[in-house]
Amino acid sequence: MSWISVEDRLPDGPQRVLVNTKECGRLVCGLAGNWNEFDVFVPIRWGCINDIDFYLSEVTHWQPLPLPPNK
């Protein structure tokens, strides 16, 4: 998988992805936000699994998480 610049596009809705931040390196985060009256997702911040939130501007790139291993 390749990195996607946040300037090019953001994930479609609140899914967990791998992000690259300006200060903290790579983390698993989800894009947090709200759905507006037109059923469009409006991002507010990046919420990470370690209870750290990042402003949208603090993340440079993202990519989907890999599939889990087969048993």
Side-chain angles (χ1 to χ4, degrees):
M1 292 185 213
S2 59
W3 290 98
I4 301 165
S5 171
V6 297
E7 294 180 9
D8 292 338
R9 68 182 173 99
L10 293 173
D12 297 327
Q15 58 181 296
R16 295 240 183 252
V17 295
L18 181 63
V19 300
N20 186 70
T21 65
K22 292 178 181 177
E23 299 294 326
C24 296
R26 290 161 303 281
L27 301 160
V28 174
C29 292
L31 194 55
N34 299 308
W35 295 93
N36 69 13
E37 65 273 11
F38 303 108
D39 218 20
V40 174
F41 184 75
V42 180
I44 297 173
R45 69 184 183 286
W46 292 95
C48 297
I49 60 174
N50 56 357
D51 292 329
I52 296 174
D53 289 346
F54 292 95
Y55 293 110
L56 294 176
S57 62
E58 294 178 282
V59 171
T60 63
H61 293 78
W62 66 277
Q63 65 175 292
L65 292 176
L67 295 174
N70 293 330
K71 292 185 178 185

